[in-house]
Amino acid sequence: MFEVRAIDPHNVPHRGLITISVMLATIMQVLDTTIANVALPSMTGDLGASADTINWVLTSYIVAAAIMTPVTGWLSDKVGRKELFLATVVGFTVMSMLCGLAWSLESMVLFRLMQGLFGAAIVPLSQTFLLDINPKERHGSAMALWGAGIMVGPIIGPTLGGWLTDSFNWRWVFFINLPVGIVAFLGCLAYLPAVAKRARSFDFFGFAMLSLGVGALQLMLDRGAEVDWFSAIEIWIYLGLTLSGFWVFTVHMMTAEHPFIDPKIFADRNFVTGLVFIFVVGIILLASLALLPPMLSHIFNYPTITTGLVMAPRGVGTMISMIVVGRIIHRVDPRHLVVLGLILTAYSLYVMTGFTPQMDNYLIIETGIVQGLGLGLVFVPLSTVAFATLDVKHRTDAASLFSLVRNLGSAIGISIVTVVLTRNVQINHVELGAAMTPFNQTLAQAMPSAVAGDPTSLMKLDGLVNIQALMISYIADFKLMMLVTLCAIPLALFLRKPAKAPVAGDAPAAHME
């Protein structure tokens, strides 16, 4: 039986081993948000699925994780933070093995749904533990390490998934979690300190309404592209459920005696501003990751491994900036770092608007490094400042909301850039094709056989038009994300710099600058 006590951040034995164990579990969970994407075509035949239904392998995981993330705070108070973390690591690892052994689409969807339910609590709990075991003066370094796992995981996920699928088969995308999960569990079991439980009633109605809103929103975003968005009644139903769920939940939270989420959390200006910022970071991080692999594949004909190698420097840039920020954040105003990070990110997106089908991969690598540096500069101080002035008792609930909003931002960002890309490709193709006439002197000189009606030349011309239309559409998406990034910069004015933490304890700062 573990001793239940409060954590003294200045007297935590084996802090390094705790950090390694917690981060192994975190990286394992974050990788699974993207690692299975490239394996979907290989799964289709083995599981007897179609190109449409196989997407439920991703949807089931995303929806389940989104619904369960907000309940992390209540569960950790009810069963114990350490006990819940150990249970989630075991459950996630077991479900990963079952996903690898799946024999049909139905079994795979069930196991992925359960994997999402177990994995939802890992990220917010890992953030809470790292804040708990470190005194305030080390929170910047702790969030740098945590942020590195959160942000680099999705970047290397598709590359690792592609390599495992090509070298072995798609089942190893899930089997790879077994050794990682075992090491993480044993480390947490041995060294993770127990935290005092807290009696807390469960607001089932509030949870149900929030789950309805989050689940319907995720389904709408995931299914929208397949059914042509609001031309389908299915999407209108999801939209109605989303608005109803969030509206009723908000009213209930503000009026109930013991709501599911304490509204006092939203009285902290730093935390609320941090939620807005992390929403924007979610849009930029995963939206750009969703755009680049298909762009490199369709326009530049890069294989999966080459795409991963070209995108890897983005992760290197993120790691470098997080290491640097972790060391200087206690000496530099975090708000200045956030603004600098957003400027670097916007600059990288501006350079990306100059991409052409004829360029080499140097520009892709350069912009990836700059964008990685920028996002790292934003993520670490943001994760530190957002929790700096928050009451410790709200930390787990706040970490759950932080992860949920980041994931929702990612989902919304991916949906927006996908819709814009699809629509622009059609428009650009029509506009470019309209100029391809026998009266176009430039075309007549460059491809006279096409003007003469040669079928092979016409096919080649159509291919060139397709590539140009696609490239212009990607550039429009990069420009859109650049504008979103620039619009987020003024939000830094709403952040308050916390007073320097006292060396002797972990007490909250007494005043704000």
Side-chain angles (χ1 to χ4, degrees):
M1 188 71 181
F2 297 107
E3 180 187 358
V4 179
R5 64 190 188 281
I7 297 177
D8 178 7
H10 291 91
N11 188 28
V12 177
H14 310 295
R15 184 183 284 119
L17 292 173
I18 293 171
T19 302
I20 292 173
S21 302
V22 167
M23 287 310 302
L24 279 175
T26 303
I27 292 172
M28 175 181 69
Q29 193 274 343
V30 173
L31 272 175
D32 266 52
T33 60
T34 58
I35 195 173
N37 296 30
V38 295
L40 289 183
S42 301
M43 294 182 198
T44 304
D46 289 351
L47 299 178
S50 65
D52 292 336
T53 57
I54 195 64
N55 285 326
W56 282 102
V57 173
L58 302 179
T59 304
S60 57
Y61 179 87
I62 293 171
V63 172
I67 290 174
M68 282 303 294
T69 298
V71 82
T72 301
W74 179 83
L75 283 174
S76 66
D77 286 342
K78 184 71 174 178
V79 305
R81 195 177 298 165
K82 176 178 180 177
E83 291 77 6
L84 177 61
F85 194 76
L86 292 172
T88 57
V89 172
V90 171
F92 188 87
T93 306
V94 171
M95 290 303 146
S96 296
M97 291 299 297
L98 291 175
C99 286
L101 298 172
W103 56 91
S104 66
L105 178 63
E106 291 77 14
S107 63
M108 172 60 83
V109 170
L110 174 63
F111 297 145
R112 281 286 280 177
L113 189 147
M114 296 300 297
Q115 190 187 34
L117 292 177
F118 279 109
I122 291 178
V123 170
L125 283 179
S126 67
Q127 184 180 20
T128 305
F129 271 118
L130 290 182
L131 290 170
D132 283 346
I133 67 174
N134 289 281
K136 279 193 178 295
E137 60 267 22
R138 295 181 54 136
H139 279 184
S141 300
M143 288 301 94
L145 185 60
W146 180 78
I150 293 296
M151 297 184 71
V152 176
I155 295 174
I156 65 174
T159 305
L160 179 60
W163 178 77
L164 289 171
T165 303
D166 292 341
S167 302
F168 304 97
N169 61 53
W170 64 265
R171 297 183 186 275
W172 281 93
V173 167
F174 301 103
F175 290 155
I176 193 68
N177 288 337
L178 180 61
V180 180
I182 291 175
V183 173
F185 173 78
L186 293 177
C188 292
L189 179 66
Y191 303 114
L192 203 61
V195 181
K197 300 176 185 178
R198 183 159 61 105
R200 184 175 168 188
S201 59
F202 184 66
D203 177 17
F204 180 80
F205 181 77
F207 171 67
M209 290 300 100
L210 182 60
S211 299
L212 176 65
V214 171
L217 176 61
Q218 287 284 5
L219 284 171
M220 182 179 74
L221 296 172
D222 188 74
R223 293 279 298 158
E226 296 180 30
V227 297
D228 195 23
W229 292 97
F230 295 102
S231 62
I233 192 171
E234 174 186 355
I235 300 302
W236 284 104
I237 293 174
Y238 291 146
L239 178 61
L241 292 174
T242 299
L243 296 176
S244 300
F246 282 130
W247 172 256
V248 175
F249 169 75
T250 302
V251 173
H252 177 75
M253 179 180 66
M254 301 304 296
T255 57
E257 185 176 355
H258 299 292
F260 178 63
I261 294 178
D262 192 337
K264 292 179 182 177
I265 291 179
F266 301 103
D268 189 294
R269 193 170 79 180
N270 268 12
F271 180 68
V272 173
T273 308
L275 289 180
V276 178
F277 262 122
I278 202 63
F279 181 82
V280 175
V281 170
I283 291 176
I284 300 168
L285 175 64
L286 283 191
S288 59
L289 288 178
L291 288 173
L292 286 175
M295 184 192 79
L296 296 176
S297 174
H298 297 149
I299 296 179
F300 298 93
N301 295 317
Y302 285 4
T304 302
I305 300 300
T306 305
T307 297
L309 293 174
V310 171
M311 293 181 63
R314 176 186 302 264
V316 174
T318 302
M319 292 287 288
I320 291 173
S321 67
M322 288 187 169
I323 292 172
V324 172
V325 172
R327 293 180 178 274
I328 68 172
I329 192 170
H330 61 283
R331 297 194 297 267
V332 180
D333 190 333
R335 297 170 296 185
H336 296 163
L337 295 174
V338 170
V339 172
L340 176 60
L342 290 172
I343 291 173
L344 285 176
T345 304
Y347 171 75
S348 70
L349 290 166
Y350 170 75
V351 176
M352 291 169 74
T353 60
F355 281 4
T356 67
Q358 292 77 33
M359 69 181 186
D360 57 24
N361 55 26
Y362 174 77
L363 198 58
I364 301 171
I365 294 173
E366 178 189 346
T367 54
I369 293 175
V370 174
Q371 194 171 120
L373 288 169
L375 289 173
L377 285 173
V378 174
F379 198 90
V380 177
L382 183 60
S383 302
T384 305
V385 173
F387 291 85
T389 55
L390 196 67
D391 194 320
V392 174
K393 69 180 181 180
H394 296 313
R395 189 172 280 168
T396 308
D397 279 335
S400 302
L401 283 174
F402 204 68
S403 294
L404 176 63
V405 171
R406 188 189 78 249
N407 291 332
L408 290 178
S410 299
I412 291 173
I414 291 172
S415 295
I416 290 174
V417 296
T418 302
V419 169
V420 173
L421 180 70
T422 304
R423 299 292 168 86
N424 282 341
V425 166
Q426 297 172 352
I427 295 171
N428 293 329
H429 190 280
V430 170
E431 291 182 351
L432 291 173
M436 301 296 107
T437 69
F439 307 104
N440 188 320
Q441 295 301 317
T442 303
L443 178 63
Q445 293 175 6
M447 299 184 68
S449 56
V451 175
D454 177 59
T456 304
S457 299
L458 287 174
M459 288 181 60
K460 183 179 179 180
L461 178 61
D462 184 61
L464 292 173
V465 170
N466 287 335
I467 290 176
Q468 291 296 331
L470 195 57
M471 189 76 259
I472 295 171
S473 302
Y474 278 116
I475 288 173
D477 269 350
F478 297 146
K479 187 177 295 183
L480 174 63
M481 287 192 293
M482 179 189 71
L483 294 175
V484 171
T485 306
L486 291 173
C487 289
I489 292 177
L491 290 173
L493 298 174
F494 292 95
L495 289 173
R496 288 179 174 179
K497 179 186 176 184
K500 291 184 178 180
V503 176
D506 194 32
H511 66 279
M512 302 293 159
E513 293 182 10

